[in-house]
Amino acid sequence: MSAYLIRRLLGAVVVMWAVATLVFFMLRMVPGDPFLAMVFDTGDPAAADDMRRAFGLDKPMYVQYLKYLQQVLQGNFGNSIYGSGIPVSQIIAEAFPRTMSLTLLGFFMALIIAIPAGLISALKKHTAIDHGVTVVAFLGLSMPDFWLAILLIIVFAAQLHWLPAIGYVALDQGFWPWFSHLIMPAIAIGTPFAAIIARMIRSSMLEVLKADYVQVARSKGLKHSYLIFMHAMPNALIPVITVMGIALALLMAGAVVVENVFAIKGLGRVLIQGILNRDYPVVQGAILVVSVIFVLANILVDMMYTVIDPRIRYQ
Amino acid sequence: MTAQEGATITQAAQGLETVSITRPGFLASVARDKKAIVGIVILTILVLAAILAPLLAPYDPNNMDFEMIESPSAKHLLGTDDLGRDLLSRLIYGAQVSLFVGVSTVGISLVIGLFLGIAAGYYGGFIDTVIMRYIDLQWAFPNFIIAVYLVAVFGTGLSNVIIAITLAFIDDFARIARGMVLTIKEEQYIDAARTVGVSDFRIMWRHILPNAAAPIIVQATVSISYAILAEAGLSFLGLGVEASTPTWGLILAESRSFISRAWWLGLFPGLAIMLTVLSINFLGDALRDHLDVRETTEI
């Protein structure tokens, strides 16, 4: 197990190096010179040269690359070249907890909706409830998250005035201010995931209910609710673990878009604003941090399999 | 990766037993599926609307006039936007972009992905290692995030968006194709073909590909819906096609400043995206049921 973990972590280091290298060289292939664009107003080529020197862009490519790797390893992503020039690491450190809050809340919202929906759907197979859940799940899967976000704002912020339309408040400012700002974006990113989970739980629950041990439990006269909650449900939930990696991917991809709808300055908004402003140090930093999150999360999910289902062993 | 890989191979093996898109009655059984019927009907309407856009659209999609932000009426069935442009006409032209991007990106990435996956699975060894290293790297990230990264590098615009989405989807197809090849390669008829001197290319093209078709068709269908969502998302973020092109994502992005007083601008473009994606998902689900392929989607 620990040998496997070490191998996975080494693999992760290689992936990160590959991503860092790709990002470095690809961003330097970008057409259009951001430094020229920045001094375009003054129209002064000498000023652009000064800036290039200040950012070390006059050095040969391999020198820049080595210096970049060294800095990235120290958690130094350079300074934002747009506006205030604050360190990218600081921007990311502020954005990270927002994205994490949103992603985790989205995850829990999805589970709270999906688990009962999937179970009821399986227990009431081929009834109106079951068909209803299926239709809603298909709609949820087909709805663009940013559109759902807009609809939620129209209804709950613009019309009913129940919730704030945009912004983010940190959790240490109190639970309700935090929750009221995040609930709509969390539902927007959680919905496609909830749809997938509900359908998965339905089919796995149907399989479990046919299994021998459930039949035995039933024939020895076990109470129905005990049978469902203590025997069938835990086993029906195992497959959900297998889609956790996909879940994280879905939720993070959703957060990138939805943060922009709700003006939450998380990693997604930082990344997109960086791209729109051609603020390359910011884009670079955001891509690297988002990548680290994915790679580590994938490992974490694989580790969780072994905890939840001890039959799985990694060599 | 071993667990994932294992899953892909079992999945492929299960697909194999039941695969036969040429099986008699296959099309008939799909055609009896309610979901498939709904999906095909909506899709047909959308495709026709996209093709016949110049005939169907009541106005020029970029024609501005002074009837700004008007709610739906007999003159403008779905209302007008802040520049007085007819929303219905813009949505009809938007169907062209969505469907074109969806089909072209998946089409190209399918070909590239199949080529990489089949080559990796068939030849194994060094070629397999190189290709799979790359595929694994891409697999670690959601397709949409990869598309965003690539647009950051290439810049915006229709062709760059198509390139970005195409590249982002390659790993899905390569993975499935490789898994299928690894299973099929061991079959006796492949040995037999090789023994009688059939060329590698012909074995892959004539013997492996048709038998690997079912899961690949299902994945391609689902991928089209994700590609359409990706294009809409990129356009919505301002990373998509040129601002003059009416696309559903862009119309939604522009509507955001007016959503408190113009609900139709927020509602209808999203409905258009949802109906398109829904119909493709219905079709994909029906195909999955009838080809007996287990879930193969990433995101």
Side-chain angles (χ1 to χ4, degrees):
Chain A
M1 182 70 182
S2 60
Y4 172 76
L5 184 60
I6 291 169
R7 219 175 53 231
R8 282 299 300 272
L9 287 175
L10 282 178
V13 171
V14 174
V15 168
M16 288 322 304
W17 168 76
V19 170
T21 305
L22 275 175
V23 166
F24 176 85
F25 285 105
M26 287 176 85
L27 279 183
R28 270 145 197 84
M29 279 167 24
V30 173
D33 187 331
F35 292 94
L36 270 184
M38 277 173 66
V39 288
F40 188 74
D41 292 339
T42 57
D44 181 1
D49 282 346
D50 285 345
M51 289 190 80
R52 279 204 197 84
R53 256 194 298 284
F55 283 89
L57 294 187
D58 54 337
K59 304 257 168 44
M61 194 65 103
Y62 75 94
V63 177
Q64 288 183 42
Y65 173 64
L66 291 176
K67 187 153 175 270
Y68 156 82
L69 279 188
Q70 187 194 348
Q71 287 182 338
V72 164
L73 281 174
Q74 294 164 348
N76 175 4
F77 301 111
N79 296 332
S80 164
I81 56 174
Y82 184 83
S84 47
I86 45 176
V88 173
S89 51
Q90 190 188 327
I91 299 177
I92 287 172
E94 282 166 17
F96 182 76
R98 296 172 187 156
T99 301
M100 276 298 121
S101 276
L102 174 57
T103 309
L104 289 178
L105 189 63
F107 181 73
F108 284 114
M109 292 305 301
L111 288 187
I112 289 169
I113 300 168
I115 292 178
L119 290 176
I120 293 169
S121 197
L123 293 172
K124 310 269 179 196
K125 191 170 73 156
H126 298 318
T127 62
I129 299 177
D130 180 25
H131 293 309
V133 169
T134 304
V135 169
V136 172
F138 263 104
L139 290 179
L141 201 57
S142 309
M143 204 185 267
D145 41 18
F146 53 90
W147 181 54
L148 180 56
I150 291 176
L151 293 183
L152 290 170
I153 293 179
I154 293 181
V155 175
F156 294 104
Q159 299 297 325
L160 297 172
H161 299 291
W162 287 357
L163 294 167
I166 56 166
Y168 173 82
V169 176
L171 186 53
D172 50 24
Q173 309 270 327
F175 177 77
W176 175 248
W178 172 81
F179 187 75
S180 64
H181 281 88
L182 277 186
I183 180 73
M184 289 197 291
I187 289 176
I189 65 169
T191 297
F193 172 52
I196 293 176
I197 295 295
R199 281 174 60 78
M200 271 193 91
I201 290 178
R202 178 185 182 272
S203 61
S204 80
M205 186 71 177
L206 286 177
E207 241 165 67
V208 168
L209 287 177
K210 276 187 289 188
D212 288 343
Y213 63 89
V214 173
Q215 301 294 343
V216 169
R218 184 172 291 150
S219 50
K220 76 177 184 190
L222 212 58
K223 230 175 87 187
H224 183 68
S225 57
Y226 188 84
L227 172 76
I228 297 296
F229 287 108
M230 302 310 285
H231 288 253
M233 197 177 86
N235 285 300
L237 293 184
I238 287 180
V240 175
I241 311 295
T242 62
V243 292
M244 295 273 271
I246 296 176
L248 185 95
L250 265 176
L251 292 168
M252 289 280 292
V256 166
V257 185
V258 169
E259 279 174 1
N260 285 279
V261 182
F262 289 93
I264 296 171
K265 225 169 171 297
L267 289 173
R269 188 159 172 85
V270 166
L271 175 64
I272 302 300
Q273 291 293 327
I275 296 173
L276 293 175
N277 295 334
R278 298 191 157 222
D279 194 342
Y280 294 114
V282 170
V283 175
Q284 196 166 276
I287 290 181
L288 291 179
V289 171
V290 172
S291 304
V292 172
I293 296 175
F294 279 117
V295 172
L296 292 184
N298 278 337
I299 297 178
L300 195 69
V301 169
D302 284 354
M303 293 290 115
M304 274 177 59
Y305 292 158
T306 60
V307 178
I308 308 250
D309 190 345
R311 285 171 298 182
I312 299 172
R313 288 261 176 278
Y314 291 115
Q315 298 300 314
Chain B
M1 281 309 134
T2 40
Q4 252 175 5
E5 208 165 17
T8 318
I9 293 168
T10 3
Q11 206 166 278
Q14 276 165 350
L16 185 67
E17 289 162 24
T18 48
V19 176
S20 177
I21 36 170
T22 50
R23 188 177 67 211
F26 166 70
L27 283 177
S29 71
V30 172
R32 272 195 304 274
D33 189 312
K34 254 186 265 169
K35 276 185 303 213
I37 296 170
V38 174
I40 289 171
V41 168
I42 301 177
L43 266 183
T44 311
I45 295 172
L46 282 164
V47 171
L48 285 178
I51 295 171
L52 302 175
L55 300 174
L56 285 175
Y59 298 89
D60 181 308
N62 288 318
N63 183 37
M64 308 175 205
D65 65 26
F66 291 105
E67 292 163 343
M68 292 170 283
I69 315 207
E70 291 219 339
S71 56
S73 62
K75 195 170 171 217
H76 296 283
L77 285 177
L78 300 182
T80 63
D81 67 5
D82 56 313
L83 298 175
R85 296 174 294 193
D86 181 60
L87 183 58
L88 177 62
S89 308
R90 291 180 70 71
L91 291 184
I92 291 175
Y93 275 91
Q96 289 182 335
V97 181
S98 276
L99 294 175
F100 178 70
V101 171
V103 173
S104 63
T105 53
V106 171
I108 308 168
S109 72
L110 175 76
V111 172
I112 302 174
L114 285 185
F115 176 79
L116 291 178
I118 293 179
Y122 188 77
Y123 291 112
F126 179 68
I127 294 177
D128 188 28
T129 309
V130 172
I131 294 177
M132 285 317 287
R133 276 285 163 319
Y134 169 73
I135 300 298
D136 282 342
L137 177 66
Q138 206 179 325
W139 186 255
F141 305 97
N143 290 345
F144 182 72
I145 299 281
I146 293 174
V148 169
Y149 288 0
L150 291 174
V151 170
V153 174
F154 299 144
T156 56
L158 182 61
S159 49
N160 287 344
V161 165
I162 290 178
I163 295 173
I165 297 177
T166 300
L167 292 176
F169 280 76
I170 286 176
D171 58 326
D172 298 358
F173 295 112
R175 248 170 203 283
I176 295 178
R178 177 173 175 273
M180 295 298 297
V181 172
L182 288 182
T183 324
I184 299 170
K185 200 165 77 163
E186 305 304 323
E187 299 282 326
Q188 282 186 343
Y189 62 84
I190 302 294
D191 279 343
R194 203 174 288 137
T195 318
V196 297
V198 180
S199 71
D200 281 353
F201 180 79
R202 197 174 158 81
I203 289 177
M204 288 187 242
W205 180 250
R206 293 287 302 171
H207 299 279
I208 293 182
L209 197 57
N211 285 302
I216 292 168
I217 289 172
V218 172
Q219 179 66 48
T221 315
V222 178
S223 289
I224 290 177
S225 71
Y226 285 125
I228 289 175
L229 282 176
E231 184 276 322
L234 288 174
S235 290
F236 180 76
L237 292 172
L239 303 177
V241 298
E242 295 79 2
S244 58
T245 319
T247 74
W248 296 337
L250 199 59
I251 299 172
L252 267 178
E254 288 167 353
S255 80
R256 277 165 62 200
S257 328
F258 314 101
I259 47 176
S260 53
R261 55 197 173 108
W263 55 267
W264 57 95
L265 289 177
L267 182 67
F268 295 121
L271 267 183
I273 302 173
M274 190 179 77
L275 271 181
T276 312
V277 173
L278 184 69
S279 62
I280 297 170
N281 282 342
F282 273 162
L283 192 61
D285 206 57
L287 285 173
R288 180 179 294 139
D289 289 348
H290 293 273
L291 292 170
D292 202 15
V293 179
R294 289 182 34 186
E295 298 270 344
T296 52
T297 33
E298 195 209 351
I299 63 124

